[in-house]
Structures are given as structure tokens and as C-alpha cells.
Amino acid sequence: MTSDDPFACFGNGDDSDDTDDDMVHTTSDGRAFARQLVEKTNSIMRMDKSVEGQRLKACTDVTFQSSYQDQQERVLHLPWPNRPPLYLGPIHLNKSLTEGGGRGYVASQDLPPGTCVLIEEPLVDGWSEEQMGRRLGLESIKHMLHVENAKTVVECLRELHPRKEKVDEVFRQIENGGQSSDPLDVIQIVEMMSSLEKDVSFRSELQSLVAYAEERKICNPDGSSLSSRDINRMLLALRYNGFESGLYLHFSMFNHHEDPNCIKFRPSNESPQSTQHYNYSEARTTRFVKKGEPLTLHYLENPREVSHATRRRVLWDQHRFDIGGEDMFLPYLNSPRKIYESELVGGKFPPSSRDDSTKNDDDPPTTVNIEKSLDDLEDMLLELQAAFKSKIGNDDISSYFERAAALELTVGELITASQSALNNNHHILLSRCKRLHLDVVELLLSNCSQILTNKQSIELMVRFLQSVQPLLESQRRRCGNDHPDVARTYHDFSMGIQSMLSHAPKRLMALNFDGMVTLEQCSKMEHFCRSEKERIERLYPKDVPDIIARVSKESV
Ligand SMILES: C[S@@+](CC[C@H](N)C(=O)[O-])C[C@H]1O[C@@H](n2cnc3c(N)ncnc32)[C@H](O)[C@@H]1O
């Protein structure tokens, strides 16, 4: 085995190596002691659970849920009072927000983390096959005009940004020789529509959709035929409001924030207790939200963890609103743009532009290069996950193992290179690299146990812990202590410690993690991580069917 061997850090694959001095001596006494400690803390946890359960029940209690009556009143002020969501939590629509595009939700009372604020079924569930992996285009309009309830969809779409009434008014002003009073309307409506219409094939597709709508007798709510401008506006409404999972009405009233206080879940569409199928999304707060504070989501869905430069470009490209660069003064905030710790590169505001710097700039920002590598490596992981899932035969497993092992090392190298290029241990891209690393190690450990020697597994677990510990710290700083992403990382940390306590406790202590230098401290940390993971998970109960059942009971 030479140092050039890419698999050197997995050991030489010889099991006899496992009788390594350090490990054997440590494990014989250490394992027993560690097991005792884990059992002791487990039993303390079991006792604690009933008390903790009661405390947490208070958080997910009906105190923070809206009654049917209460919802009815607030639903009247939504743009679709006749199509209420399945549940509207203690929030209401404010139509004159200064930050984030006019309309948006605000909290009607103080809301603890995990409060369910909205449950809704999509108006259009998913997109057509041709649409997948591409930006929403006219094929999605075609898909929408095909669905059974197309007439209702078109009617509802009227109220989505940019509202039909508004668009008609803007063009009326222009056609009368005037100008739109709001420069943002020109950017988001007039310029966006005309840039799409520059394409000849787009224009001809618009015409064929006009004819198709006519044929199916799908018209505007006032009975007039859908014009090509109407269809173009509908496309903007999809782009400005659509989610990966489809189009929702009430979810489209959430504005974007760089540091959002809500998260949208698309839970499994089956309730565990009943045979009833649900197809809903839910939004929950991820931290404490004060009464009157706007409720916001992060618009980037996949991947969510991108650099400031990429976020700025994507949001401009898709929505035509600018999150701002270093020198940009944001009039609605009356201040320069705020910079978050997770965006700093070398302690400074990173370069960013609304335009695609990968195309125009010879020297794209460091973050763009890291993102490109991440995209490629994440694709490789997806391929490997699919291969292992499809139960590859024993003969193939070693070749897939080699690919997964090479991927693990490459991600490790990307972490090292990114750390030095970004000079910021809490940069959002480093968190993404570390999450990827954890996922690759997990893939190896859960699928290649028959190939990995004990020593290799332990070395893998060591590198796993070296990624998970700083990731946890960065995520807590960025998302707070109650975010579901943090729960997942607590879980990983606890599993990693548990495994090392059982197999190589001395090696674990030698890692010298803060507050983890004795066996007792390591065990305590493992217990802490596990209980934190469980605490956060309980903040986000899978209780949507119960909420819906309660509300429908109250309504009769
Ligand atoms: C899903 S809608 C949100 C609701 C919208 N404010 C409305 O009144 O219909 C998305 C649009 O709202 C605006 N918007 C949302 N978040 C924003 C933000 N942080 N800054 C500026 N505009 C924002 C953009 O025009 C975007 O295309």
C-alpha cells in the first residue's frame, strides 16, 4: 500500500490489521464501560421521557392552533375566500407589506417553533413529464389546460402575482401612451413578458394554446377568450408562484426571506392511523415568531444551500427581485443589504451579480466553482444510491464499493479545498459539502459492510464525526436550535458517537472534540444529542390528519 493509493485511508483490506494494539486494549475494557454508560443514560432518558413529553405537549398544544370559527374570519380576507385551505393557523394576510412584494402572511399571535400555520392541497398537483428538470414553461400551461378542473384553475390563477387586473391595467396605461407608475411592474411584467415573446417558437406556441383554450371553452372569468397575453401572464404566475410539487393558492402568499422563519413540508400522503389518503403540504415555523412578524419561506428548493451569488442570480432570473449585493441600498429596509455569517468569503461580502457570472465572467467567484463540484458529486451519490437500492449482485458490489469509496475521498478533498478557499468555517457551502460527506459515508457503511474491515469502518466513522461535529455547530448558528435540519445532524452525531463508543472508544476520545475527552463525557454528549434530536422531532409532529379531523369536527 503506497501513499498514492486512493484507498490508503481505508487500510489494506486485511482483517488481521484489526488486532491493532490501540483498538484491542481500548475496546476490551472500554467497550464494557461504554456499554454500561450508554445503558445508564438510556434508562435515565426513558424516565425523563414522560416529563419531557408533557412539556413538549404544551408546545404542540391546541393553544397554538386555530379554531374553525377563528379561521373562518381570517379566510374571508384571503384572495380565495371560497376555496379555503385545509387549515389556516394563527396567521393572517397583510396586503401592505413594505418588504417582500406587497401581500404576505404575518403572525396573528406569538408562535413557538413547530407551529403549524398552513395545510393545503395543491391546485395543480405536480407538473408534466416534459417539464421535469426544466424551468416552468408553456408545456406546464398546456398541462394545466388539460386537467379536468382547468376552468377553475384559470379562474383562481387570476389572483396570483402578477394579478390579471394589474397586468391589464399596466398595459392599458402603456397603450394609452403613458407609463406604469411602478418601475417594478415594468420589470416583472412588461419586460419579462416581452423577453419571452422575442422567441418565435414561444409566440407560435402561445397562439396554439389560445386556440386550444378556445376549443375547450376555457375562458376568462368574465367570459372573454384567453388572449396570448393572458396565457403569457399565466406562465409568469406559474414561475412566480409554483413549487416543485405543484401550484398552491394559499402557499403562494408566502414571501421569500434570506433567513426564513417557516419551512414547507410535503409529508407522505398517507395517514398512518387511517386508510384515508391525503395530498397536502404543510408550513410550520422553525423558530419563535413574534406577533405581527412576517412569515417567510426560502424560495430555493433544490438545492437550498447555495451561495449568495447563486441565490441572487436565480431569484432575479426567476422572479425579477433583487436580494442585493454589497453596495446595494434596499429602499424598503432603508439600509444596505444585510450579510449573514454563512455567506462571508474571507470575512468579506462575496462578489455577486444578478447576471449569470458563469457565462460572462472569465473568473467566476470561488463559490461558483465549489457549487459546480458539489452538483456533480451529489449526482454521483444519487446514482450510487439508486444502484445500491436496486440490489446489485455480489459480483457488482465491489465495483460500486470502489466508486463510493472514491466519492467519499473526493468529497473529503472538496471540504479541505473549500475550507481554505472560503476561509469561513461556517460558510453555507461547507455545510452542504459536509452533509454530502455524511450521506456518502452512510451509504458505504450501510451497503458495504461485507467488504469493509472493522478498521476501515472505524476510520470511516472517524471522518464521519469530523464532518458532523462542525456541521452541527454551523447549522445551529444559521438555523437556530429548533430546525429540522439540526435534528437530523444531532441524530447523525449521536449515532456516530454510539458506534465509536462500542467499537473504538479510545479513538473517539483521541479526536479531542470539545467536552468529549473522557468516556463519561462522550456518553453524556451522545445522550444530549439523542434527546435534542427527539425534542426537535416532537416540535414537528405528524399530526396533520388530527388537525384536519379536529377542524372538520368543529365545522359541523
Ligand atoms: C409567491 S409570491 C409571494 C406573494 C406576493 N407578495 C403577492 O403579493 O402575491 C412571489 C412574488 O412575491 C414577490 N416577493 C416575494 N418575496 C420577495 C422578496 N423577499 N423581495 C421582493 N419581492 C418578493 C416577488 O415578486 C415574487 O415573484
Side-chain angles (χ1 to χ4, degrees):
M1 189 173 67
T2 70
S3 56
D4 288 333
D5 178 356
F7 302 107
C9 62
F10 284 92
N12 61 8
D14 177 358
D15 259 337
S16 61
D17 243 20
D18 292 344
T19 49
D20 167 303
D21 265 3
D22 172 36
M23 250 182 56
V24 169
H25 297 314
T26 327
T27 49
S28 53
D29 291 350
R31 267 190 211 170
F33 181 49
R35 209 165 287 133
Q36 259 179 7
L37 277 174
V38 171
E39 272 161 21
K40 195 169 129 195
T41 42
N42 278 349
S43 71
I44 295 170
M45 265 195 71
R46 275 194 292 275
M47 282 183 344
D48 279 359
K49 261 191 183 152
S50 56
V51 181
E52 236 173 66
Q54 280 173 12
R55 185 172 62 81
L56 277 152
K57 203 163 165 282
C59 267
T60 54
D61 206 301
V62 283
T63 328
F64 302 103
Q65 290 183 13
S66 295
S67 70
Y68 174 73
Q69 196 52 40
D70 183 29
Q71 285 181 68
Q72 290 295 92
E73 282 163 31
R74 281 174 294 108
V75 161
L76 287 179
H77 301 283
L78 298 181
W80 305 273
N82 299 325
R83 295 186 65 88
L86 290 170
Y87 172 74
L88 181 71
I91 62 174
H92 60 272
L93 192 66
N94 182 328
K95 294 184 184 157
S96 52
L97 287 179
T98 40
E99 187 182 354
R103 297 177 296 184
Y105 290 121
V106 293
S108 307
Q109 62 178 61
D110 286 354
L111 304 173
T115 307
C116 181
V117 291
L118 182 66
I119 306 172
E120 186 186 12
E121 287 184 304
L123 179 68
V124 178
D125 183 12
W127 307 105
S128 63
E129 289 274 310
E130 305 104 285
Q131 181 56 75
M132 289 306 137
R134 297 166 58 192
R135 171 219 282 249
L136 288 170
L138 285 179
E139 50 292 306
S140 298
I141 299 284
K142 200 167 166 187
H143 172 72
M144 246 175 42
L145 294 176
H146 265 92
V147 296
E148 215 180 299
N149 61 340
K151 283 183 189 151
T152 317
V153 172
V154 169
E155 191 184 327
C156 292
L157 236 64
R158 198 170 60 136
E159 272 302 321
L160 288 179
H161 173 71
R163 292 166 47 243
K164 174 166 165 54
E165 213 183 324
K166 169 73 144 205
V167 173
D168 288 347
E169 184 197 313
V170 167
F171 280 103
R172 210 176 304 120
Q173 280 171 350
I174 293 172
E175 278 151 16
N176 288 339
Q179 255 192 350
S180 172
S181 49
D182 188 343
L184 212 53
D185 289 342
V186 175
I187 296 171
Q188 293 185 345
I189 300 171
V190 185
E191 290 178 4
M192 205 52 164
M193 281 181 155
S194 67
S195 79
L196 289 168
E197 284 180 13
K198 271 191 194 130
D199 183 344
V200 184
S201 64
F202 181 88
R203 285 203 307 269
S204 84
E205 222 180 310
L206 266 186
Q207 287 310 326
S208 64
L209 286 174
V210 167
Y212 180 69
E214 188 83 52
E215 198 184 298
R216 283 207 63 199
K217 299 198 172 20
I218 301 167
C219 50
N220 283 312
D222 64 2
S224 61
S225 302
L226 291 180
S227 65
S228 54
R229 182 180 294 158
D230 286 327
I231 296 197
N232 200 345
R233 182 204 71 86
M234 278 160 54
L235 177 59
L236 293 197
L238 292 199
R239 286 196 177 171
Y240 293 164
N241 298 277
F243 287 86
E244 261 182 16
S245 54
L247 184 71
Y248 300 73
L249 295 180
H250 304 286
F251 268 98
S252 68
M253 289 297 112
F254 275 99
N255 286 319
H256 165 89
H257 201 280
E258 296 289 280
D259 180 23
N261 50 24
C262 289
I263 190 167
K264 175 177 173 290
F265 290 109
R266 193 173 191 211
S268 93
N269 57 4
E270 207 168 322
S271 138
Q273 299 93 5
S274 75
T275 50
Q276 208 172 347
H277 286 259
Y278 290 98
N279 179 23
Y280 53 75
S281 279
E282 61 174 313
R284 287 184 185 260
T285 52
T286 50
R287 50 183 156 83
F288 190 86
V289 182
K290 275 202 147 104
K291 180 178 173 177
E293 211 181 301
L295 290 151
T296 51
L297 290 172
H298 200 292
Y299 280 3
L300 268 65
E301 289 188 272
N302 193 15
R304 201 159 28 111
E305 290 172 318
V306 297
S307 65
H308 170 72
T310 298
R311 245 181 8 262
R312 186 175 183 199
R313 180 179 55 75
V314 170
L315 287 170
W316 177 256
D317 195 38
Q318 190 183 334
H319 289 270
R320 287 290 189 270
F321 71 80
D322 191 356
I323 59 169
E326 182 171 17
D327 304 324
M328 196 166 145
F329 190 82
L330 297 175
Y332 52 81
L333 288 180
N334 215 10
S335 66
R337 195 214 175 258
K338 185 176 170 187
I339 183 80
Y340 295 97
E341 179 190 33
S342 59
E343 301 177 316
L344 293 170
V345 175
K348 294 198 187 114
F349 202 120
S352 73
S353 150
R354 296 191 311 207
D355 308 316
D356 191 347
S357 49
T358 51
K359 277 190 197 149
N360 305 331
D361 205 334
D362 293 337
D363 188 17
T366 315
T367 51
V368 170
N369 292 329
I370 298 174
E371 278 166 348
K372 272 194 208 150
S373 307
L374 268 166
D375 289 343
D376 291 345
L377 298 175
E378 283 164 352
D379 282 348
M380 282 183 207
L381 173 65
L382 285 177
E383 265 176 46
L384 286 167
Q385 279 168 334
F388 280 115
K389 210 171 165 187
S390 67
K391 305 220 179 326
I392 45 178
N394 273 352
D395 294 344
D396 300 329
I397 200 161
S398 58
S399 91
Y400 281 104
F401 164 72
E402 282 178 21
R403 283 174 58 187
L407 179 59
E408 194 266 324
L409 293 180
T410 312
V411 179
E413 278 162 19
L414 181 65
I415 293 177
T416 312
S418 308
Q419 238 149 5
S420 91
L422 297 166
N423 194 10
N424 172 4
N425 286 339
H426 300 295
H427 195 280
I428 194 157
L429 291 183
L430 264 183
S431 294
R432 191 165 141 206
C433 290
K434 284 171 188 159
R435 170 47 60 201
L436 174 62
H437 185 234
L438 301 184
D439 291 346
V440 180
V441 174
E442 201 188 311
L443 181 85
L444 273 163
L445 289 172
S446 49
N447 292 286
C448 305
S449 54
Q450 67 270 51
I451 297 184
L452 288 162
T453 63
N454 281 348
K455 190 171 181 198
Q456 288 171 329
S457 299
I458 285 165
E459 286 314 308
L460 260 181
M461 194 46 85
V462 163
R463 294 200 291 281
F464 181 89
L465 285 172
Q466 282 166 334
S467 284
V468 83
Q469 197 239 17
L471 172 64
L472 183 60
E473 159 102 28
S474 299
Q475 283 182 328
R476 287 176 58 210
R477 289 165 88 115
R478 184 161 47 83
C479 315
N481 282 327
D482 303 312
H483 197 282
D485 288 358
V486 174
R488 184 175 173 205
T489 310
Y490 268 126
H491 172 75
D492 290 334
F493 201 12
S494 134
M495 297 304 283
I497 301 173
Q498 231 179 71
S499 165
M500 290 294 282
L501 278 173
S502 314
H503 298 104
K506 210 171 181 181
R507 187 85 176 80
L508 174 65
M509 290 181 288
L511 289 174
N512 245 330
F513 286 152
D514 248 8
M516 285 176 61
V517 288
T518 67
L519 272 181
E520 186 151 14
Q521 285 175 336
C522 293
S523 180
K524 270 193 176 151
M525 181 60 86
E526 190 279 326
H527 170 227
F528 172 76
C529 294
R530 196 152 29 105
S531 52
E532 275 298 278
K533 173 236 167 198
E534 290 175 1
R535 177 191 67 79
I536 302 171
E537 276 183 355
R538 283 194 293 267
L539 291 177
Y540 303 87
K542 296 185 175 35
D543 61 352
V544 166
D546 300 338
I547 298 178
I548 297 173
R550 182 184 59 77
V551 171
S552 72
K553 211 162 131 196
E554 282 175 18
S555 71
V556 286

